[in-house]
Structures are given as C-alpha cells and as structure tokens.
Amino acid sequence: MTTDTATRSARHRTVSLLVRTAQVGVVLFILGVWWLLAARGMVSPLILPTPGDAARALPKLLTDPRTWHHLKITGIEILGAFLISMVLGISTGLWLGLSSYRTKLFEPLLVTTYMVPIVLLYPIVLLIFGVGPESKIVFAGIYGFFPIAINTTRALHSVDPNLMTAAISMGATTRQQVLHVMLPAAKPLIVSGVRIGVALNQIGRASCRERVEVSVVAGSLKKKKRMRKKMQQDSNCECGWYTVTSQ
C-alpha cells in the first residue's frame, strides 16, 4: 500500500513538472516570436515594440498618474457591468426557473432576444445615458445578462428530481429546497453562465468604447470639413466683392 502511494505521488510530481515545463515553454515561445517580429521589422514599432522597449517603458507608464486614473475608470466600468449582469441575470433566472409555467412562457422569448445582435441596443443606450462611462456600463451589463439568465433557468430545471423528492420527504420548506438543494446542484451551470457573461461584459464594453471613439472622430472630421467649406465660400465671396468694387 505504501509502495502504491509513493508511486502515485512520484507520478503526480512528474506530471506536474511536465505541465510547468510546457507552460514555461509556451511563454518563452511567445516572447521569442514577439522579439523576432519586432527585431526584424516585420511589424511597425508603433504597433509592436520589442520586449526590451516595452520593459523599459513599463516603469514610466506605472509612475504616470494618468495610467492609474484610466485603470480606475476601467475597473469601475468592468465592476459595474458585472454587477448588473449578475444581479439581473441570476434574479431573472431564479424567477423563471422556479416556475415551469414562467419558464415555458418566457424562456423562448429570452433565447430569441439573445439571438438578436445586442449592438442594435447601443444607440438607445447612448441616447438615454449619453457618451460616458454610464452608457458603457449599462451596455456591457446587458451584453452579459442573457447567458447568465438562460443558464440559471436551465440549471434549476436540470436538478435531479430525486434530490427534490428527498428534501420534500424530510420536510424541507420551499426556501430550504432552493438554498440547500437546488442552488448547490445548479451551481456548475450557473458559474458557467457567469463566466460567459463576464467575457461578454468585456466585449460589450470594448465595442461600445470603439463605437464612441469612432463617432467622436467622425463628428470631428465632419465639423472640420464643414468649417473648411464655409471658409472657402467666405473667401470666394470676398474675392467676388473685391472684383466688383474694383470695377
């Protein structure tokens, strides 16, 4: 018995060592490809500097107050979107999942809405909350809401009926059934939905930010074009007036 335990322990250490070696090898490979692309000039230094340049610029970046200011804003946006997705998603999933009638009535509608591109809601969110962190938080929260709500609903319906029968036979109340039987049994699928929701939070926040920046840049270019056109028209009018008066 002792020999078998020692053998399994040695095998576990060997596997752990191989896994760590492979992980370090992947990191070194990525750094090598990064250095090769940057050093050979295959990618512009403005897009991909060398690892050495990035390491030298890191201390300056960390000591810049603007870095921490932007990190604070990003953290608030991520946390706000995550809380919106979690609270609304799990609450909606519980409300639907605890009733077969509500599930049959509203889950198809929820799934169908999830199939529609969420980006279509962006103009509405922008009109309501304006150009700022609030619109990004709400839009990203909506982006991550659907997988959490859908997974929570389906997780509650996937609970083993034998567990519910055993809980009821022991005299468990509805609250005890939900807290001590249904939620622990549904936890893996709920957590899976939360992971998908968090990923979609980041995608929604990034896409919202890009669209805002593109809109601002496009608006600025249009404004400059109108100003240039107006200046040209004013210049032509002045030239025409000068010609008439000189005659």
Side-chain angles (χ1 to χ4, degrees), residues 11-236:
R11 187 179 303 167
H12 178 71
R13 288 195 297 268
T14 303
V15 172
S16 299
L17 180 61
L18 290 176
V19 170
R20 297 298 181 190
T21 303
Q23 291 173 343
V24 173
V26 170
V27 173
L28 293 177
F29 175 77
I30 293 174
L31 290 175
V33 173
W34 178 7
W35 178 85
L36 181 65
L37 292 175
R40 295 289 183 86
M42 301 172 69
V43 181
S44 173
L46 296 176
I47 300 175
L48 186 68
T50 62
D53 293 338
R56 284 189 292 271
L58 182 60
K60 182 180 179 181
L61 185 65
L62 294 177
T63 55
D64 191 344
R66 293 175 297 178
T67 300
W68 300 104
H69 173 70
H70 293 306
L71 284 176
K72 178 182 177 181
I73 295 176
T74 300
I76 292 174
E77 292 175 354
I78 293 174
L79 181 61
F82 173 70
L83 290 177
I84 290 175
S85 299
M86 277 282 293
V87 173
L88 294 181
I90 292 181
S91 300
T92 304
L94 288 174
W95 184 72
L96 295 178
L98 295 178
S99 171
S100 299
Y101 174 75
R102 289 196 293 263
T103 300
K104 293 178 182 178
L105 185 62
F106 292 108
E107 187 188 21
L109 180 62
L110 191 65
V111 174
T112 303
T113 306
Y114 184 42
M115 295 172 61
V116 177
I118 309 299
V119 73
L120 296 177
L121 298 176
Y122 169 71
I124 301 174
V125 174
L126 188 62
L127 287 174
I128 296 174
F129 296 96
V131 180
E134 294 82 5
S135 60
K136 299 183 183 68
I137 292 172
V138 173
F139 183 73
I142 296 173
Y143 226 106
F145 159 77
F146 289 97
I148 298 176
I150 293 171
N151 274 36
T152 302
T153 303
R154 293 180 175 176
L156 293 176
H157 281 278
S158 66
V159 176
D160 189 354
N162 294 325
L163 296 177
M164 300 301 300
T165 303
I168 294 172
S169 65
M170 294 178 185
T173 62
T174 303
R175 182 173 178 272
Q176 290 173 335
Q177 293 174 32
V178 173
L179 293 179
H180 302 290
V181 179
M182 298 184 72
L183 286 180
K187 182 180 177 181
L189 193 54
I190 294 175
V191 172
S192 176
V194 171
R195 292 176 62 183
I196 298 173
V198 170
L200 292 180
N201 285 154
Q202 311 310 315
I203 295 175
R205 191 188 68 86
S207 63
C208 182
R209 181 181 183 123
E210 288 178 359
R211 288 179 179 276
V212 169
E213 291 177 351
V214 169
S215 300
V216 171
V217 172
S220 177
L221 292 176
K222 289 181 180 178
K223 185 177 179 181
K224 290 182 179 179
K225 186 177 180 180
R226 287 196 301 266
M227 291 178 62
R228 191 181 300 112
K229 187 176 181 180
K230 184 178 179 182
M231 291 176 62
Q232 185 177 3
Q233 290 175 351
D234 294 342
S235 177
N236 292 336

